Amino acid sequence: MSNTRKADQKTNATERMRSARAQAERSDRIRRRVVVGAASAAVLALAAGVAFAVGGTSDSSSSNAAANGPLVVPANATGPNGTVISYGKADAPHTLEVYEDFRCPFCEQLETTTGKTIQQLADNGTYKVEYHLATFLDKNLGGKGSRTALAAAGAALNEGVDKFKAFHDVLYANQPDERSDAFGDVNHILDLAGQVPGLKTDGFVKAVQEGTYAPWAAKVNEEFNKSDVTGTPTVKLDGKKLDVLTNGKAVSPEQFTALVKQVTG
């Protein structure tokens, strides 16, 4: 082999290595931008003390996939097209509307800080709670965790309102980082469901595994998108919005109780 040919081969190999290294560096920069971008959005929202912003409807592929199956509305669902979950005494004099996404970190903060008080006030008849759930974070952050968790929550609701509420609380108590799609893993969802006594019936497990309530979850999200809510968590008492986040932190149980008293007298 001539020296010239050897030199050409060496040059080509060097160029290929340089090209591969440049591509790897570009890919790494892209990955860093994606991760930092998501984290920065959460940090900026936290600094501003605002709810996690709604970025639009769920992606079209998830909506189409959900629409392919038959719509099965869980037992115990209420509201328009059975898209609302009501907890508490039906004849309570006031109504607390709670708008959430299972992947929303600020919703997790509210539920784990003040959730017990929210429930206690419903249990004692001060108001009934109406949950309006969304899946917009699947589009904002990628993945399918919000809609998978919501579909599983539908299966829990079918078992009973109390089962839904307990499962709802377990999901927030075990919420992964919002950039993670751990809730998109059906087996993980079923493991968490095991923390709710009596929830994992054969019917529940089958519904979660087969995505029985995925079309319903899509309908629930559609109704959410029709509301005037622009971020989660949003909490309204008799239509009046309550400021449940202060300087990026959830209000304390005492502060929440005071907000309720201001409306109910």
Side-chain angles (χ1 to χ4, degrees), residues 51-113:
F52 209 95
V54 174
T57 60
S58 295
D59 58 25
S60 58
S61 61
S62 66
S63 297
N64 290 338
N68 287 335
L71 175 62
V72 181
V73 177
N76 308 302
T78 61
N81 301 313
T83 56
V84 178
I85 300 96
S86 297
Y87 176 87
K89 300 176 181 179
D91 60 351
H94 305 281
T95 300
L96 187 80
E97 297 173 272
V98 178
Y99 295 79
E100 296 178 322
D101 184 311
F102 281 119
R103 290 180 71 182
C104 168
F106 296 103
C107 299
E108 179 272 338
Q109 192 180 128
L110 176 65
E111 289 292 347
T112 56
T113 300

Side-chain angles (χ1 to χ4, degrees), residues 137-210:
L137 280 176
D138 284 349
K139 178 181 179 180
N140 289 11
L141 300 171
K144 58 181 181 179
S146 292
R147 63 183 183 272
T148 301
L150 179 51
L157 180 62
N158 194 63
E159 298 291 324
V161 174
D162 288 345
K163 291 292 191 294
F164 160 81
K165 182 61 172 64
F167 184 55
H168 163 279
D169 294 351
V170 166
L171 287 175
Y172 279 117
N174 294 275
Q175 186 192 74
D177 185 283
E178 71 270 16
R179 291 165 292 175
S180 165
D181 196 34
F183 279 172
D185 182 349
V186 168
N187 291 325
H188 179 57
I189 290 289
L190 288 173
D191 285 342
L192 293 177
Q195 297 183 28
V196 180
L199 176 58
K200 289 184 69 174
T201 64
D202 291 343
F204 172 84
V205 172
K206 182 180 180 182
V208 173
Q209 291 176 336
E210 296 182 356

